[in-house]
Amino acid sequence: MSRRDDLSPDDRRIWARVAGSVTPRRPKKAALVTPGAAVVDPPAAPLPRGPAKPRAVPTPYSPVVSAPARPRGHPEELEPRRQRRLSRERDPIEARIDLHGYGRFQAQDALTAFLIGAQARGYRSVLVVTGQGRRGGTGVIRASVHEWLQGPALRGVVSGFASAARHHGGDGALYVTIRRN
């Protein structure tokens, strides 16, 4: 009895869709091997006959040298005046992300994608809600978010961050300011 006989009609239909979406790999030409000899590459295709054309002399590679990128420093603590403007909503909070319910690595991926997307949209300040953790302790996400914001993945995105005002989440939230593109 073959394995195909074990499949239900739905399974066969799904398998047919999967198999139809795959393109086979192009086989590489195998190297010629003769017993007791070294491996030899396959013969090259014959060159077309005719008058020899002069070949252009390749120019040596010279990389394009541009101005060195301005080094991006670590995000800093927000200036007190900017933090006060955000807490009083004089500077708008243009987007928010709530990381409740995420695992540590899922939260890091979601935060990175959110902040890169916010920078692409031209946002200047966002609110990141991490939560305060269970039973009065520091949560895993809350403990890690400072490290994530200062890490190399977000160094070119985040210009600064600070704890949010009480009505925005207090110690369980952060104001994050974003660099311009």
Side-chain angles (χ1 to χ4, degrees):
M1 185 174 203
S2 71
R3 293 184 73 154
R4 284 202 172 145
D5 295 337
D6 297 341
L7 298 177
S8 70
D10 287 337
D11 290 340
R12 285 185 191 151
R13 182 181 51 81
I14 292 170
W15 181 251
R17 287 185 78 186
V18 170
S21 68
V22 176
T23 56
R25 291 178 57 188
R26 290 186 299 166
K28 293 182 179 179
K29 292 182 180 179
L32 298 175
V33 179
T34 56
V39 176
V40 179
D41 288 334
L47 296 174
R49 295 191 178 185
K53 296 179 183 176
R55 292 186 176 182
V57 177
T59 58
Y61 174 74
S62 61
V64 176
V65 179
S66 62
R70 185 174 59 155
R72 300 283 185 168
H74 288 288
E76 299 172 1
E77 192 71 22
L78 285 182
E79 304 122 18
R81 186 173 176 188
R82 179 74 189 266
Q83 187 175 358
R84 193 169 36 251
R85 289 181 63 82
L86 286 168
S87 69
R88 293 179 181 168
E89 297 182 11
R90 295 227 168 85
D91 284 349
I93 295 173
E94 298 167 307
R96 302 166 197 267
I97 184 170
D98 189 347
L99 300 175
H100 283 98
Y102 286 97
R104 182 181 192 278
F105 300 109
Q106 294 169 330
Q108 183 178 9
D109 293 343
L111 179 64
T112 302
F114 170 74
L115 291 175
I116 290 171
Q119 184 184 38
R121 289 182 195 92
Y123 295 162
R124 300 291 294 138
S125 56
V126 296
L127 182 69
V128 177
V129 180
T130 61
Q132 293 190 3
R134 293 188 179 158
R135 299 184 198 105
T138 303
V140 175
I141 295 172
R142 181 178 165 206
S144 302
V145 75
H146 292 283
E147 178 185 331
W148 299 340
L149 292 173
Q150 293 177 345
L154 294 175
R155 193 167 291 152
V157 177
V158 176
S159 65
F161 58 91
S163 293
R166 185 175 178 137
H167 65 275
H168 284 138
D171 290 336
L174 294 169
Y175 298 126
V176 179
T177 55
I178 299 174
R179 296 184 195 273
R180 290 195 172 127
N181 281 341

